Short mmCIF file of all heavy atoms in Angstrom, two decimals:
data_model
loop_
_atom_site.label_atom_id
_atom_site.label_comp_id
_atom_site.label_asym_id
_atom_site.label_seq_id
_atom_site.Cartn_x
_atom_site.Cartn_y
_atom_site.Cartn_z
N TYR B 225 -1.05 0.35 -7.55
CA TYR B 225 -1.18 1.67 -6.93
C TYR B 225 -0.13 2.59 -7.51
O TYR B 225 0.95 2.14 -7.91
CB TYR B 225 -1.00 1.54 -5.41
CG TYR B 225 -2.20 0.93 -4.63
CD1 TYR B 225 -2.39 -0.38 -4.62
CD2 TYR B 225 -3.09 1.76 -4.00
CE1 TYR B 225 -3.39 -0.95 -3.95
CE2 TYR B 225 -4.20 1.21 -3.32
CZ TYR B 225 -4.36 -0.12 -3.29
OH TYR B 225 -5.34 -0.69 -2.64
N ARG B 226 -0.41 3.88 -7.33
CA ARG B 226 0.43 4.92 -7.74
C ARG B 226 0.76 5.75 -6.60
O ARG B 226 -0.20 6.06 -5.81
CB ARG B 226 -0.13 5.69 -8.95
CG ARG B 226 0.63 7.02 -9.21
CD ARG B 226 -0.02 7.65 -10.42
NE ARG B 226 0.61 9.05 -10.53
CZ ARG B 226 0.72 9.68 -11.68
NH1 ARG B 226 0.20 9.23 -12.78
NH2 ARG B 226 1.31 10.83 -11.77
N GLN B 227 1.99 6.27 -6.43
CA GLN B 227 2.37 7.19 -5.43
C GLN B 227 3.17 8.30 -6.04
O GLN B 227 4.28 8.08 -6.54
CB GLN B 227 3.15 6.47 -4.31
CG GLN B 227 3.40 7.46 -3.19
CD GLN B 227 4.18 6.79 -2.02
OE1 GLN B 227 5.01 5.99 -2.24
NE2 GLN B 227 3.93 7.20 -0.76
N ASP B 228 2.61 9.48 -6.03
CA ASP B 228 3.42 10.61 -6.44
C ASP B 228 4.37 11.07 -5.30
O ASP B 228 4.12 10.86 -4.18
CB ASP B 228 2.48 11.81 -6.74
CG ASP B 228 1.63 11.50 -8.05
OD1 ASP B 228 2.20 10.88 -9.02
OD2 ASP B 228 0.45 11.83 -8.14
N PRO B 229 5.46 11.68 -5.66
CA PRO B 229 6.40 12.16 -4.67
C PRO B 229 5.92 12.89 -3.57
O PRO B 229 5.12 13.93 -3.76
CB PRO B 229 7.48 12.96 -5.47
CG PRO B 229 7.39 12.45 -6.84
CD PRO B 229 5.89 12.06 -7.05
N GLY B 230 6.10 12.49 -2.37
CA GLY B 230 5.54 13.24 -1.16
C GLY B 230 4.12 13.05 -0.91
O GLY B 230 3.52 13.79 0.02
N LYS B 231 3.42 12.24 -1.70
CA LYS B 231 2.00 12.07 -1.49
C LYS B 231 1.68 10.55 -0.99
O LYS B 231 2.50 9.75 -0.82
CB LYS B 231 1.30 12.25 -2.90
CG LYS B 231 1.57 13.60 -3.48
CD LYS B 231 0.99 14.66 -2.68
CE LYS B 231 1.10 16.03 -3.38
NZ LYS B 231 0.53 17.12 -2.56
N SER B 232 0.35 10.41 -0.93
CA SER B 232 -0.11 9.06 -0.41
C SER B 232 -0.31 8.10 -1.66
O SER B 232 0.00 8.59 -2.76
CB SER B 232 -1.43 9.22 0.31
OG SER B 232 -1.80 8.03 0.80
N LEU B 233 -0.71 6.96 -1.40
CA LEU B 233 -0.99 6.01 -2.44
C LEU B 233 -2.39 6.05 -2.94
O LEU B 233 -3.30 6.18 -2.15
CB LEU B 233 -0.66 4.52 -2.06
CG LEU B 233 0.79 4.19 -1.83
CD1 LEU B 233 1.39 4.64 -0.62
CD2 LEU B 233 0.89 2.60 -1.95
N GLU B 234 -2.59 5.88 -4.20
CA GLU B 234 -3.92 5.85 -4.77
C GLU B 234 -4.06 4.64 -5.65
O GLU B 234 -3.17 4.23 -6.33
CB GLU B 234 -4.24 7.11 -5.53
CG GLU B 234 -3.53 7.42 -6.72
CD GLU B 234 -4.01 8.65 -7.50
OE1 GLU B 234 -5.11 8.59 -8.01
OE2 GLU B 234 -3.28 9.66 -7.38
N SER B 235 -5.22 4.00 -5.60
CA SER B 235 -5.51 2.86 -6.45
C SER B 235 -5.61 3.14 -7.90
O SER B 235 -6.27 4.04 -8.28
CB SER B 235 -6.88 2.12 -5.89
OG SER B 235 -7.03 1.06 -6.65
N LEU B 236 -4.93 2.29 -8.63
CA LEU B 236 -5.02 2.42 -10.14
C LEU B 236 -5.89 1.37 -10.78
O LEU B 236 -6.80 1.66 -11.41
CB LEU B 236 -3.56 2.28 -10.79
CG LEU B 236 -2.62 3.43 -10.81
CD1 LEU B 236 -1.36 2.99 -11.35
CD2 LEU B 236 -3.21 4.60 -11.53
N PHE B 237 -5.57 0.05 -10.47
CA PHE B 237 -6.32 -1.00 -11.07
C PHE B 237 -6.48 -2.15 -10.04
O PHE B 237 -5.60 -2.30 -9.22
CB PHE B 237 -5.57 -1.62 -12.26
CG PHE B 237 -5.32 -0.63 -13.33
CD1 PHE B 237 -3.97 -0.24 -13.65
CD2 PHE B 237 -6.30 -0.18 -14.18
CE1 PHE B 237 -3.71 0.70 -14.67
CE2 PHE B 237 -6.10 0.71 -15.19
CZ PHE B 237 -4.76 1.10 -15.39
N VAL B 238 -7.58 -2.89 -10.23
CA VAL B 238 -7.76 -4.03 -9.45
C VAL B 238 -8.03 -5.16 -10.52
O VAL B 238 -9.00 -4.99 -11.33
CB VAL B 238 -8.97 -4.05 -8.54
CG1 VAL B 238 -9.17 -5.36 -7.78
CG2 VAL B 238 -8.85 -2.87 -7.56
N LEU B 239 -7.21 -6.18 -10.52
CA LEU B 239 -7.25 -7.24 -11.45
C LEU B 239 -7.87 -8.56 -10.79
O LEU B 239 -7.18 -8.97 -9.82
CB LEU B 239 -5.98 -7.50 -12.20
CG LEU B 239 -5.36 -6.33 -12.88
CD1 LEU B 239 -3.94 -6.53 -13.28
CD2 LEU B 239 -6.18 -5.95 -14.13
N LEU B 240 -8.91 -9.08 -11.28
CA LEU B 240 -9.61 -10.07 -10.49
C LEU B 240 -9.45 -11.49 -10.99
O LEU B 240 -9.94 -12.47 -10.37
CB LEU B 240 -11.12 -9.73 -10.40
CG LEU B 240 -11.41 -8.53 -9.62
CD1 LEU B 240 -12.92 -8.25 -9.52
CD2 LEU B 240 -10.82 -8.53 -8.19
N SER B 241 -9.07 -11.79 -12.29
CA SER B 241 -9.01 -13.09 -12.73
C SER B 241 -7.97 -13.25 -13.81
O SER B 241 -7.46 -12.26 -14.35
CB SER B 241 -10.40 -13.43 -13.31
OG SER B 241 -10.67 -12.53 -14.36
#
Side-chain angles (χ1 to χ4, degrees):
Chain B
Y225 284 80
R226 169 180 173 152
Q227 184 180 34
D228 292 321
K231 303 291 186 183
S232 186
L233 283 81
E234 62 177 292
S235 177
L236 279 177
F237 301 112
V238 180
L239 302 169
L240 294 181
S241 60

